[in-house]
Amino acid sequence: MKIRQLFDYDTWTYTYLVWDETTKEAAVIDSVLEQVDRDMQHIEELGLKVKYLLETHIHADHITGAGPIRKRTNGQIVVHTNSGSECADILAEEGDVFKLGEQEIRVMHTPGHTNNDITYLIDGAAFTGDTLFVRDCGRTDFQLGSNEQMYHSLTEKLFKLPEDTMVFPAHDYKGLTQSTIGEEKQFNTRVGSGKTFEDFSTIMDGMNLPNPKRLDVSVPGNLKCGNLDD
């Protein structure tokens, strides 16, 4: 499996292209509307056949490019069933498996940031969305977020993966690109080093973060899969 990591500077968002080397069947994870032309350039130059447009959740900080890319590639949009999306092709659930050539993509439901967060497990890599960041994790204070669900997703699901599993997050705000499960179990500032749920909740409840700047347009736009003209 090949992985290409791309970055949107305005929203600190990572988009991933993943593909099977033999068949060139590909998935795009967490695309950004303003970067559709960039992503399509890579897809065309690399000769990729986009099969899936994977969303880790309904984003609040940017509008997805999944809808526009679907129009140009016929890829299928995948989001978790809890999203209630009416524009997605597939409403995924825990345990679902998608294939790129002989490579499998497994769905792990990892709520906490929202109730519809998915981690995609592909060939020793975890694309963790806004659940697990490098040394950090997503906020839990809106979009049906939950400290309890987040702690469970981190400690009882993600941290149970093999320690050499590569972690590819949806965002980073400090220039960090990738980590491993073993590193995050030890060094994550929110939940690493065996922090209790009470420790975690105290940290999360004390953050007092402002709402994302694009909240009012991003969530409605993402419920349309980025097809703003529809």
Side-chain angles (χ1 to χ4, degrees), residues 8-11 32 34 59-63 211-220:
D8 178 64
Y9 289 93
D10 288 339
T11 62
V32 175
E34 290 82 2
H59 309 278
D61 52 9
H62 72 273
I63 297 174
N211 283 337
K213 294 178 181 178
R214 303 186 184 189
L215 175 64
D216 292 342
V217 297
S218 293
V219 172

Side-chain angles (χ1 to χ4, degrees), residues 34-52:
E34 290 82 2
Q35 300 290 355
V36 166
D37 287 342
R38 175 203 66 185
D39 297 348
M40 284 303 307
Q41 180 180 345
H42 277 74
I43 289 163
E44 291 164 2
E45 288 176 348
L46 296 169
L48 304 181
K49 308 166 194 173
V50 175
K51 191 174 180 182
Y52 299 111

Side-chain angles (χ1 to χ4, degrees), residues 217-228:
V217 297
S218 293
V219 172
N222 288 323
L223 290 172
K224 295 181 178 181
C225 293
N227 294 311
L228 303 187

Side-chain angles (χ1 to χ4, degrees), residues 6-226:
L6 304 168
F7 188 61
D8 178 64
Y9 289 93
D10 288 339
T11 62
W12 309 89
T13 299
Y14 288 123
T15 295
Y16 299 93
L17 303 180
V18 297
W19 67 94
D20 175 70
E21 294 180 74
T22 302
T23 65
K24 294 297 184 81
E25 288 185 340
V28 183
I29 303 175
D30 287 341
S31 57
V32 175
L33 182 62
E34 290 82 2
Q35 300 290 355
V36 166
D37 287 342
R38 175 203 66 185
D39 297 348
M40 284 303 307
Q41 180 180 345
H42 277 74
I43 289 163
E44 291 164 2
E45 288 176 348
L46 296 169
L48 304 181
K49 308 166 194 173
V50 175
K51 191 174 180 182
Y52 299 111
L53 298 153
L54 305 176
E55 296 293 298
T56 57
H57 63 294
I58 298 296
H59 309 278
D61 52 9
H62 72 273
I63 297 174
T64 180
I69 294 175
R70 174 172 62 183
K71 290 179 180 178
R72 295 168 67 172
T73 66
N74 294 316
Q76 293 185 298
I77 297 175
V78 180
V79 297
H80 192 269
T81 187
N82 285 354
S83 68
S85 174
E86 296 182 358
C87 61
D89 300 289
I90 299 172
L91 296 178
E93 297 182 352
E94 172 89 19
D96 284 352
V97 176
F98 306 107
K99 297 195 78 171
L100 301 177
E102 294 302 312
Q103 304 284 346
E104 290 189 343
I105 303 171
R106 291 188 291 122
V107 171
M108 178 184 285
H109 185 210
T110 48
H113 174 61
T114 71
N115 72 336
N116 59 85
D117 282 79
I118 287 175
T119 292
Y120 294 101
L121 303 174
I122 308 173
D123 191 27
F127 296 84
T128 53
D130 282 21
T131 301
L132 178 61
F133 297 150
V134 180
R135 308 298 190 262
D136 208 334
C137 72
R139 62 194 293 178
T140 58
D141 56 337
F142 64 95
Q143 279 190 289
L144 299 177
S146 163
N147 285 349
E148 186 171 0
Q149 287 187 333
M150 178 66 93
Y151 186 80
H152 182 266
S153 292
L154 291 167
T155 63
E156 297 300 321
K157 287 193 167 184
L158 290 171
F159 285 3
K160 300 296 186 183
L161 295 172
E163 292 199 351
D164 62 353
T165 301
M166 295 178 290
V167 172
F168 291 99
H171 299 283
D172 190 82
Y173 306 95
K174 299 176 182 177
L176 305 173
T177 59
Q178 186 258 319
S179 183
T180 66
I181 290 296
E183 286 182 38
E184 295 311 311
K185 286 172 68 174
Q186 185 174 0
F187 301 119
N188 191 279
T189 59
R190 306 278 176 85
V191 74
S193 300
K195 286 186 174 63
T196 66
F197 173 67
E198 289 72 21
D199 295 333
F200 176 74
S201 288
T202 298
I203 293 169
M204 300 304 289
D205 291 343
M207 291 173 62
N208 296 317
L209 295 173
N211 283 337
K213 294 178 181 178
R214 303 186 184 189
L215 175 64
D216 292 342
V217 297
S218 293
V219 172
N222 288 323
L223 290 172
K224 295 181 178 181
C225 293

